[in-house]
Amino acid sequence: MKTGRNLAITDVRVIVSSPGRNFVTVKIVTESGIYGVGDATVNGREMAVATYLQEHVAPCLIGRNAHDIEDIWQYLYKGVYWRRGPINMACVGAVDMALWDIKGKAADLPVYELLGGKSRRAVTTYAHATGNDVTETLDQAARLISEGFQTIRLQSAVPGMEGSYGVMGDKKDYFEMQSSRPLPPEQPWSTRKYMNSVEDLFRQARARFGPDVQLLHDVHSRLTPIEAARLGKMLEPYDLLFLEDAVAAENQESYRIVRDHTTTPLAIGEVYNTIWDCKDLIQNQWIDYIRTAATHAGGITGLRRIADFAAIYHVRIAPHGAPDLSPICYAAQSHIGLWAPNFGIQEFVGFGSAQSAEVFRHDLRIENGMIHVGESAGLGVDFDEEAAARYPYKRSYLPVSRLEDGTLWSW
Ligand SMILES: [Mg+2]
C-alpha cells in the first residue's frame, strides 16, 4: 500500500535484556532516521517472542510505510493463519506501540494528542501493599498513603502457608528465588485457609485507614465461581474498588455466577490478548474493569478498541502494571489513560530498578499517586541499546502454586 507521506521502515531490531527483569524490546527504524520503540515482553517465554519477531515479523515490515498503523495491525492479525495467542499478540502490540511512537515523532506531538487529546490532567494509579502478615501489609499501605497514593491493593500471605500469594518472604525478587536452578519456584495454596483469613485483612485496613482510602485485592484466579461469589459477599462491607481475577475466565460465562451474588465490583483481563477474550464479560456487564495490557492485547490500537467497546457497557479500563511490563508499555498505557473517556485506574509498582532506568529513559513522573505524562513527541520513552547490552538475558520464571496434597493450582 502506498500513501502520500511515505515513511519506509528500514530496520526492525529486537533486543532481549535483563536490567532487573527480562524485557523484549522492539526498535523500528525508518528511512528518515525517526525510530519508535515497543514492548513485547511475555514473562517466562521471552525468547519465543524474540524469535517470532526476528524470524517471522521483522522481514514482513521492511519497506512498509510506518504511517500505516491500522493496515500493519490488520496485516499481522488477520494476515496470519494463526491469529491471536500471547506470543503473536505481544509482537503485534510491540510493533503497534513503535509505530504510534514514530507517528507522534513525525507529527511532533505526544501520542495522547493523536488519540484525541487529554481527558484528564494525569493518570490515577493504585499501589501494592504486600506482607507476610496483616500488620506488615498495613504498615506498607500506611507508607504508600503517606506518599500520596489513595488507592492500595492489599495482599497478605495466608497464615501457615509461607510464601503464598506472591509474598516472597526474605527474597527480594524472583531471580533470587530461583538463582541456583532457573526453574519455576513453587508456592503452597489452601483455599480454605485463605477464605478463613482474608476478611481480617480488610476489617483491620478499614479500622486503621477509615472509609476514604480505596482498597482492592487480587485473587490470582484461585477460586471457583461459587467460592468467588462468597468472597465478594464477604468483602462487601469493606467497599472494595474492585476484586481482581476472582476466577480464571477462559469460560467467560463463569462470571455470571459471581455477578449474580455480589455487588463487589469485578476486574479481570491481564492475561487476555484480544477483544474477543473479554467480549462476553463486557457486553453482559459481568465485570466493571477490564485490565488488558498494551503489550499483551495488541498495543495502543488493540487497547483503544477494547476501551471504546467497554465504554458502551459502563466498563472502565484498569490496565495491568506488573514489573514485567517495560517502561515502554507504561508509557503507552499512560497516553491511553490520559485520553480514554472511560479510564478507571492504572496499576503501578514503580518504573523499575536502577538498572532499568539506565536502559529506558522516559518523561513519566509519579506524584501523589498519579502518573504525569511529559510533552515529548511520540511515547516519550527511549531505549539505550548500549546500556541494555550490559544486562544480558537470564532465564527466569514466575512461581507455580500447588495445593497441600501436591495438586497444581492457578498462580
Ligand atoms: Mg493481577
Side-chain angles (χ1 to χ4, degrees):
M1 184 184 283
K2 281 271 176 197
T3 56
R5 295 188 176 199
N6 205 54
L7 198 51
I9 294 171
T10 53
D11 193 12
V12 179
R13 294 211 276 279
V14 183
I15 304 101
V16 186
S17 61
S18 189
R21 296 285 291 233
N22 288 322
F23 296 116
V24 183
T25 304
V26 176
K27 189 167 179 179
I28 297 182
V29 185
T30 64
E31 60 188 344
S32 69
I34 295 177
Y35 62 88
V37 291
D39 176 29
T41 309
V42 175
N43 71 54
R45 298 295 184 270
E46 295 87 358
M47 301 314 282
V49 198
T51 306
Y52 189 106
L53 274 164
Q54 267 156 349
E55 293 295 318
H56 307 297
V57 175
C60 301
L61 297 179
I62 303 299
R64 286 183 188 281
N65 183 357
H67 277 310
D68 295 342
I69 298 176
E70 188 63 50
D71 184 64
I72 291 174
W73 197 97
Q74 299 293 342
Y75 181 75
L76 296 176
Y77 179 84
K78 258 184 211 169
V80 297
Y81 185 79
W82 301 104
R83 296 189 190 193
R84 308 163 68 185
I87 305 299
N88 181 43
M89 291 308 291
C91 297
V92 175
V95 169
D96 183 82
M97 277 179 224
L99 296 180
W100 279 97
D101 192 22
I102 289 169
K103 194 183 280 292
K105 287 173 179 170
D108 196 24
L109 288 171
V111 167
Y112 63 77
E113 296 289 9
L114 305 180
L115 291 169
K118 287 185 184 184
S119 296
R120 52 194 59 79
R121 289 190 304 281
V123 175
T124 302
T125 71
Y126 69 87
H128 289 196
T130 303
N132 290 303
D133 56 38
V134 171
T135 303
E136 199 176 298
T137 300
L138 297 187
D139 287 350
Q140 168 71 355
R143 277 192 293 278
L144 292 165
I145 292 165
S146 72
E147 289 170 21
F149 289 94
Q150 292 162 35
T151 308
I152 316 285
R153 190 191 86 158
L154 300 179
Q155 309 291 142
S156 181
V158 176
M161 314 223 80
E162 211 217 319
S164 59
Y165 231 125
V167 178
M168 288 181 282
D170 58 351
K171 304 289 190 297
K172 70 178 188 332
D173 59 27
Y174 290 124
F175 282 124
E176 198 177 330
M177 287 177 82
Q178 57 195 305
S179 55
S180 59
R181 42 154 221 158
L183 293 172
E186 299 200 352
Q187 295 181 334
W189 180 251
S190 159
T191 297
R192 185 163 188 84
K193 288 176 181 164
Y194 165 69
M195 292 291 262
N196 285 340
S197 66
V198 65
E199 186 179 2
D200 187 47
L201 173 62
F202 286 88
R203 188 188 299 116
Q204 290 197 42
R206 279 287 170 231
R208 182 161 167 183
F209 302 125
D212 290 343
V213 171
Q214 297 197 106
L215 303 175
L216 53 96
H217 182 62
D218 186 353
V219 185
H220 283 195
S221 308
R222 290 177 187 179
L223 301 180
T224 64
I226 202 67
E227 289 167 347
R230 185 174 149 236
L231 178 64
K233 281 172 81 167
M234 189 195 291
L235 296 180
E236 278 172 21
Y238 312 102
D239 186 24
L240 270 58
L241 179 71
F242 59 68
L243 190 61
E244 175 185 336
D245 287 350
V247 180
E250 284 94 337
N251 177 5
Q252 298 179 43
E253 185 94 21
S254 299
Y255 266 74
R256 181 201 298 273
I257 296 171
V258 190
R259 192 59 149 184
D260 280 351
H261 289 89
T262 180
T263 57
T264 293
L266 303 170
I268 192 168
E270 67 186 50
V271 298
Y272 292 171
N273 311 130
T274 70
I275 199 167
W276 302 100
D277 299 327
C278 45
K279 172 182 154 290
D280 297 349
L281 289 166
I282 290 172
Q283 71 181 11
N284 289 301
Q285 301 182 63
W286 289 331
I287 59 169
D288 301 278
Y289 293 87
I290 181 68
R291 303 199 59 258
T292 41
T295 295
H296 301 124
I300 290 170
T301 300
L303 219 55
R304 182 184 60 173
R305 262 197 267 286
I306 291 171
D308 276 338
F309 173 61
I312 302 171
Y313 300 98
H314 306 281
V315 174
R316 292 193 275 173
I317 63 166
H320 191 210
D324 54 352
L325 296 162
S326 90
I328 303 171
C329 178
Y330 259 108
Q333 292 181 173
S334 298
H335 283 262
I336 293 166
L338 268 191
W339 153 75
N342 58 327
F343 169 76
I345 198 158
Q346 170 65 55
E347 184 177 22
F348 182 74
V349 293
F351 291 122
S353 62
Q355 301 100 302
S356 170
E358 293 172 32
V359 175
F360 299 96
R361 305 217 180 83
H362 59 81
D363 66 358
L364 303 174
R365 152 176 85 76
I366 186 90
E367 196 181 303
N368 287 325
M370 300 179 93
I371 295 175
H372 295 260
V373 180
E375 297 293 316
S376 310
L379 290 174
V381 53
D382 206 354
F383 179 76
D384 184 330
E385 290 185 62
E386 274 180 34
R390 294 198 291 271
Y391 302 105
Y393 165 73
K394 292 195 282 185
R395 180 155 59 94
S396 149
Y397 300 94
L398 291 181
V400 298
S401 279
R402 287 188 189 276
L403 301 184
E404 289 165 292
D405 70 357
T407 307
L408 195 87
W409 210 243
S410 300
W411 186 70

